[in-house]
Coordinates of all heavy atoms in Angstrom, one line a residue:
M1 N 96.6 64.2 171.3 CA 95.8 63.4 170.4 C 96.0 62.0 170.7 O 97.2 61.5 170.8 CB 96.2 63.8 169.0 CG 95.6 62.9 167.9 SD 96.2 63.4 166.2 CE 98.0 63.2 166.4
K2 N 94.9 61.2 170.8 CA 95.1 59.8 171.0 C 94.8 59.0 169.8 O 93.8 59.1 169.2 CB 94.1 59.3 172.1 CG 94.3 57.9 172.6 CD 93.5 57.7 173.9 CE 93.8 56.4 174.6 NZ 94.1 55.2 173.8
V3 N 95.8 58.2 169.4 CA 95.8 57.4 168.1 C 95.6 55.9 168.5 O 96.2 55.4 169.5 CB 97.1 57.5 167.3 CG1 97.0 56.7 166.0 CG2 97.4 59.0 167.0
V4 N 94.7 55.3 167.9 CA 94.4 53.8 168.1 C 94.5 53.1 166.8 O 93.8 53.5 165.8 CB 93.1 53.6 168.8 CG1 92.8 52.1 169.0 CG2 93.0 54.3 170.1
V5 N 95.2 52.0 166.8 CA 95.2 51.1 165.6 C 94.7 49.8 166.1 O 95.2 49.2 167.1 CB 96.7 50.9 165.0 CG1 96.6 49.9 163.9 CG2 97.2 52.3 164.6
D6 N 93.7 49.3 165.4 CA 93.1 48.0 165.7 C 94.1 46.9 165.1 O 94.1 46.7 163.9 CB 91.8 47.8 165.0 CG 91.1 46.5 165.4 OD1 91.8 45.6 165.8 OD2 89.9 46.4 165.3
M7 N 94.9 46.4 166.0 CA 96.0 45.5 165.5 C 95.4 44.1 165.1 O 96.2 43.3 164.5 CB 97.0 45.3 166.6 CG 97.8 46.6 167.0 SD 98.6 47.4 165.5 CE 99.9 46.2 165.1
D8 N 94.2 43.8 165.4 CA 93.5 42.6 164.9 C 93.2 42.8 163.4 O 93.0 41.8 162.7 CB 92.3 42.3 165.6 CG 92.6 41.9 167.1 OD1 93.7 41.4 167.3 OD2 91.7 42.1 167.9
V9 N 93.1 44.1 163.0 CA 92.7 44.4 161.6 C 94.0 44.7 160.7 O 94.1 44.3 159.6 CB 91.7 45.6 161.6 CG1 91.5 46.0 160.2 CG2 90.4 45.2 162.3
C10 N 94.9 45.4 161.3 CA 96.1 45.9 160.6 C 96.9 44.7 160.0 O 97.1 43.7 160.7 CB 97.0 46.6 161.6 SG 98.6 47.0 160.9
K11 N 97.3 44.9 158.8 CA 98.1 43.8 158.1 C 99.5 44.2 157.9 O 100.2 43.6 157.1 CB 97.4 43.5 156.7 CG 96.1 42.8 156.9 CD 96.2 41.4 157.5 CE 94.8 40.7 157.6 NZ 94.7 39.9 158.8
D12 N 99.9 45.3 158.5 CA 101.4 45.7 158.6 C 101.9 46.0 157.2 O 103.1 45.9 157.0 CB 102.2 44.6 159.2 CG 101.7 44.2 160.6 OD1 101.6 45.1 161.4 OD2 101.4 43.0 160.8
H13 N 101.1 46.5 156.3 CA 101.7 46.8 155.0 C 102.4 48.1 154.9 O 103.2 48.4 154.1 CB 100.7 46.7 153.9 CG 100.2 45.3 153.6 ND1 98.9 44.9 153.4 CD2 100.9 44.1 153.6 CE1 98.8 43.6 153.3 NE2 100.0 43.1 153.4
G14 N 102.0 49.0 155.9 CA 102.8 50.2 156.1 C 102.4 51.4 155.3 O 103.2 52.4 155.3
Q15 N 101.3 51.5 154.7 CA 100.9 52.7 154.0 C 100.9 53.9 154.9 O 101.3 55.0 154.6 CB 99.5 52.5 153.3 CG 99.6 51.7 152.1 CD 99.3 50.2 152.4 OE1 99.6 49.7 153.5 NE2 98.7 49.5 151.5
C16 N 100.4 53.7 156.2 CA 100.4 54.8 157.1 C 101.8 55.3 157.4 O 101.9 56.5 157.7 CB 99.7 54.3 158.4 SG 100.5 52.8 159.1
V17 N 102.8 54.5 157.3 CA 104.1 55.0 157.6 C 104.6 56.1 156.7 O 105.3 57.0 157.1 CB 105.1 53.8 157.5 CG1 106.6 54.2 157.8 CG2 104.7 52.7 158.6
F18 N 104.1 56.0 155.4 CA 104.5 57.0 154.5 C 103.8 58.4 154.8 O 104.3 59.4 154.5 CB 104.2 56.6 153.0 CG 105.0 55.4 152.6 CD1 104.5 54.1 152.6 CD2 106.3 55.6 152.2 CE1 105.3 53.1 152.2 CE2 107.1 54.5 151.8 CZ 106.6 53.3 151.8
S19 N 102.6 58.3 155.3 CA 101.8 59.5 155.6 C 102.3 60.2 156.9 O 102.3 61.4 157.0 CB 100.3 59.2 155.7 OG 99.8 58.7 154.5
A20 N 102.6 59.4 157.9 CA 103.0 59.9 159.2 C 104.1 59.1 159.8 O 103.9 58.4 160.8 CB 101.8 60.0 160.1
P21 N 105.3 59.2 159.3 CA 106.4 58.4 159.8 C 106.8 58.8 161.3 O 107.4 57.9 162.0 CB 107.6 58.7 158.9 CG 107.2 60.0 158.2 CD 105.7 60.1 158.2
E22 N 106.4 60.0 161.7 CA 106.7 60.3 163.1 C 105.8 59.5 164.1 O 106.2 59.3 165.3 CB 106.4 61.8 163.4 CG 107.1 62.8 162.5 CD 106.4 63.1 161.2 OE1 105.4 62.3 160.8 OE2 106.7 64.1 160.6
V23 N 104.7 59.0 163.6 CA 103.8 58.2 164.5 C 103.8 56.7 164.2 O 103.7 55.9 165.1 CB 102.3 58.8 164.2 CG1 101.3 58.0 165.0 CG2 102.3 60.3 164.6
F24 N 103.9 56.4 162.9 CA 103.8 54.9 162.6 C 105.2 54.4 162.0 O 105.8 55.1 161.2 CB 102.8 54.7 161.5 CG 101.4 55.3 161.9 CD1 101.0 56.5 161.4 CD2 100.6 54.5 162.7 CE1 99.7 57.0 161.8 CE2 99.3 55.0 163.1 CZ 98.9 56.2 162.6
Q25 N 105.6 53.3 162.5 CA 106.8 52.6 162.0 C 106.6 51.1 161.9 O 105.7 50.6 162.6 CB 108.0 52.9 163.0 CG 108.6 54.3 162.9 CD 108.3 55.1 164.2 OE1 108.3 54.6 165.3 NE2 108.0 56.4 164.0
I26 N 107.4 50.5 161.1 CA 107.4 49.1 161.0 C 108.6 48.6 161.7 O 109.7 49.0 161.4 CB 107.4 48.6 159.5 CG1 106.2 49.0 158.8 CG2 107.5 47.0 159.5 CD1 104.8 48.4 159.2
N27 N 108.5 47.7 162.7 CA 109.6 47.4 163.5 C 110.4 46.2 162.9 O 110.1 45.8 161.8 CB 109.2 47.0 165.0 CG 108.5 45.7 165.1 OD1 108.4 44.9 164.2 ND2 107.9 45.4 166.3
E28 N 111.5 45.8 163.5 CA 112.4 44.8 162.9 C 111.7 43.4 162.7 O 112.1 42.6 161.9 CB 113.6 44.6 163.8 CG 113.4 44.0 165.2 CD 113.1 45.1 166.2 OE1 112.7 46.3 165.8 OE2 113.2 44.8 167.4
N29 N 110.5 43.2 163.4 CA 109.8 42.0 163.1 C 108.7 42.2 162.1 O 107.9 41.2 161.8 CB 109.1 41.6 164.5 CG 110.1 41.2 165.5 OD1 111.1 40.6 165.2 ND2 109.8 41.7 166.8
G30 N 108.7 43.3 161.4 CA 107.7 43.6 160.4 C 106.3 43.9 160.9 O 105.4 43.9 160.1
R31 N 106.2 44.3 162.2 CA 104.9 44.6 162.7 C 104.9 46.2 162.9 O 105.9 46.8 163.2 CB 104.7 44.0 164.1 CG 104.7 42.5 164.2 CD 103.4 41.8 163.9 NE 102.2 42.5 163.5 CZ 101.0 42.3 164.1 NH1 100.9 41.5 165.1 NH2 99.9 42.9 163.7
L32 N 103.6 46.6 162.8 CA 103.4 48.1 163.0 C 103.6 48.4 164.4 O 103.0 47.7 165.3 CB 102.0 48.5 162.5 CG 101.7 49.9 162.7 CD1 102.5 50.8 161.7 CD2 100.2 50.2 162.6
V33 N 104.3 49.5 164.7 CA 104.3 50.1 166.0 C 104.0 51.6 165.9 O 104.2 52.1 164.8 CB 105.7 50.0 166.7 CG1 106.0 48.5 167.1 CG2 106.8 50.5 165.9
Y34 N 103.3 52.2 166.9 CA 102.9 53.5 166.7 C 102.9 54.3 168.1 O 102.9 53.6 169.1 CB 101.5 53.6 166.1 CG 100.4 53.0 166.9 CD1 99.5 53.8 167.6 CD2 100.2 51.6 166.9 CE1 98.5 53.3 168.3 CE2 99.2 51.1 167.7 CZ 98.3 51.9 168.4 OH 97.3 51.4 169.1
V35 N 102.9 55.6 168.0 CA 102.9 56.4 169.2 C 101.4 56.8 169.5 O 100.8 57.5 168.8 CB 103.7 57.7 168.9 CG1 103.7 58.6 170.2 CG2 105.1 57.4 168.4
A36 N 100.9 56.2 170.6 CA 99.5 56.3 170.9 C 99.1 57.8 171.3 O 98.1 58.3 171.0 CB 99.0 55.4 171.9
E37 N 100.0 58.4 172.0 CA 99.8 59.8 172.5 C 100.7 60.7 171.6 O 101.9 60.9 172.0 CB 100.2 59.9 174.0 CG 99.2 59.3 174.9 CD 97.8 59.9 174.9 OE1 97.7 61.1 174.5 OE2 96.8 59.3 175.3
S38 N 100.2 61.1 170.5 CA 101.0 61.9 169.5 C 100.7 63.3 169.7 O 99.6 63.7 170.1 CB 100.7 61.4 168.1 OG 101.2 60.1 167.9
D39 N 101.7 64.1 169.3 CA 101.5 65.6 169.4 C 100.4 66.1 168.4 O 100.2 65.6 167.3 CB 102.8 66.2 169.0 CG 102.8 67.7 169.4 OD1 103.1 68.0 170.6 OD2 102.5 68.6 168.5
E40 N 99.7 67.1 168.9 CA 98.6 67.6 168.1 C 99.0 68.1 166.8 O 98.3 68.1 165.8 CB 98.0 68.8 169.0 CG 96.7 69.3 168.5 CD 95.6 68.3 168.4 OE1 95.5 67.4 169.3 OE2 94.8 68.4 167.5
S41 N 100.3 68.6 166.6 CA 100.8 69.1 165.4 C 100.8 68.0 164.3 O 100.9 68.3 163.1 CB 102.2 69.7 165.6 OG 103.1 68.6 165.9
L42 N 100.7 66.8 164.7 CA 100.7 65.7 163.7 C 99.3 65.2 163.3 O 99.2 64.3 162.5 CB 101.5 64.5 164.3 CG 102.9 64.7 164.6 CD1 103.5 63.6 165.5 CD2 103.7 65.0 163.4
R43 N 98.3 65.9 163.7 CA 96.9 65.5 163.4 C 96.6 65.4 161.9 O 96.1 64.4 161.5 CB 95.9 66.5 164.1 CG 94.5 66.0 163.9 CD 93.5 66.9 164.6 NE 93.6 66.7 166.1 CZ 92.8 65.9 166.8 NH1 92.0 65.1 166.2 NH2 93.0 65.8 168.1
D44 N 97.0 66.3 161.1 CA 96.8 66.3 159.7 C 97.4 65.0 159.1 O 96.8 64.3 158.3 CB 97.3 67.5 159.0 CG 96.4 68.7 159.2 OD1 95.3 68.5 159.8 OD2 96.8 69.8 158.8
A45 N 98.6 64.7 159.5 CA 99.4 63.6 159.0 C 98.7 62.3 159.4 O 98.6 61.3 158.6 CB 100.8 63.6 159.5
V46 N 98.2 62.2 160.6 CA 97.5 61.0 161.1 C 96.2 60.8 160.4 O 95.8 59.7 160.1 CB 97.4 61.0 162.6 CG1 96.6 59.8 163.1 CG2 98.8 61.0 163.3
E47 N 95.5 62.0 160.2 CA 94.2 61.9 159.4 C 94.5 61.3 158.0 O 93.7 60.5 157.5 CB 93.5 63.2 159.4 CG 92.9 63.6 160.7 CD 92.2 64.9 160.7 OE1 92.4 65.7 159.8 OE2 91.5 65.2 161.7
E48 N 95.6 61.8 157.4 CA 95.9 61.3 156.1 C 96.2 59.8 156.2 O 95.8 59.0 155.3 CB 97.1 62.0 155.5 CG 97.4 61.6 154.1 CD 98.7 62.3 153.6 OE1 98.8 63.5 153.7 OE2 99.5 61.6 153.0
A49 N 96.9 59.4 157.2 CA 97.3 57.9 157.4 C 96.0 57.1 157.5 O 95.9 56.0 156.9 CB 98.2 57.8 158.6
A50 N 95.0 57.6 158.3 CA 93.8 56.9 158.5 C 93.0 56.8 157.2 O 92.4 55.8 156.9 CB 92.9 57.7 159.5
D51 N 93.1 57.8 156.3 CA 92.5 57.8 155.0 C 93.1 56.8 154.1 O 92.4 56.1 153.3 CB 92.5 59.2 154.4 CG 91.5 60.2 155.0 OD1 90.6 59.7 155.7 OD2 91.7 61.4 154.7
V52 N 94.4 56.7 154.1 CA 95.1 55.8 153.2 C 95.1 54.3 153.7 O 95.3 53.4 152.9 CB 96.5 56.2 152.8 CG1 96.5 57.6 152.2 CG2 97.4 56.2 154.0
C53 N 94.9 54.1 154.9 CA 94.9 52.7 155.4 C 93.8 51.9 154.7 O 92.6 52.2 154.8 CB 94.6 52.7 156.9 SG 94.5 51.0 157.6
P54 N 94.2 50.9 154.0 CA 93.3 50.1 153.2 C 92.3 49.3 154.1 O 91.2 48.9 153.6 CB 94.1 49.2 152.3 CG 95.4 49.1 153.1 CD 95.6 50.4 153.8
L55 N 92.6 49.2 155.3 CA 91.8 48.4 156.2 C 91.0 49.2 157.2 O 90.3 48.7 158.1 CB 92.6 47.3 156.9 CG 93.2 46.3 155.9 CD1 94.3 45.5 156.5 CD2 92.2 45.4 155.3
Q56 N 91.2 50.5 157.1 CA 90.5 51.4 158.1 C 90.8 51.1 159.5 O 89.9 51.1 160.4 CB 89.0 51.5 157.8 CG 88.6 51.9 156.4 CD 88.9 53.4 156.1 OE1 88.3 54.2 156.7 NE2 89.9 53.7 155.3
A57 N 92.0 50.7 159.8 CA 92.4 50.3 161.1 C 92.8 51.4 162.1 O 92.9 51.2 163.3 CB 93.6 49.3 161.0
I58 N 92.9 52.6 161.5 CA 93.4 53.7 162.4 C 92.2 54.6 162.8 O 91.4 55.1 161.9 CB 94.4 54.6 161.6 CG1 95.6 53.7 161.2 CG2 94.9 55.8 162.4 CD1 96.5 54.4 160.2
T59 N 92.1 55.0 164.0 CA 91.2 56.0 164.5 C 91.9 57.0 165.4 O 92.9 56.6 166.1 CB 90.0 55.3 165.2 OG1 90.5 54.5 166.3 CG2 89.1 54.5 164.3
I60 N 91.4 58.2 165.4 CA 91.8 59.2 166.3 C 90.7 59.4 167.3 O 89.6 59.7 167.0 CB 92.1 60.5 165.5 CG1 93.1 60.3 164.5 CG2 92.5 61.6 166.5 CD1 93.3 61.5 163.5
E61 N 91.0 59.2 168.6 CA 90.0 59.2 169.6 C 89.8 60.5 170.3 O 88.7 60.7 170.9 CB 90.3 58.1 170.7 CG 90.2 56.7 170.1 CD 89.9 55.6 171.1 OE1 90.1 55.9 172.3 OE2 89.3 54.6 170.7
D62 N 90.7 61.4 170.2 CA 90.5 62.8 170.7 C 91.6 63.7 170.1 O 92.5 63.2 169.5 CB 90.4 62.9 172.2 CG 91.7 62.5 172.9 OD1 92.8 62.9 172.4 OD2 91.6 61.9 174.0
Ligands
SF4_1 S1 98.1 51.3 156.7 FE1 96.6 50.3 158.1 S2 96.8 48.2 157.7 FE2 98.6 49.2 156.9 S3 100.2 49.1 158.5 FE3 99.1 51.1 158.7 S4 97.4 50.7 160.2 FE4 98.2 48.7 159.5

C-alpha cells in the first residue's frame, strides 16, 4: 500500500498519528513523518487517518 501525504497541505497537528501510529509520527522538529510503503494490514488504520485528517492531506494510491 502506497501512502502519500501532501506536505504542502499538512499542518502537523497529528490527528492521523492517533489513528495509525505505525505509519504516522511527529518527529522531534514537530513535523509529520510517515511510512510511504506501508503494510497492507494497516490499510484500515490509514483509511481512518485519512478520514480524520482535517485537511484531507492523506491519500492511499494503491
Ligand atoms: S492529520 Fe492531516 S494535517 Fe494533521 S498531521 Fe496528519 S496528515 Fe497532517
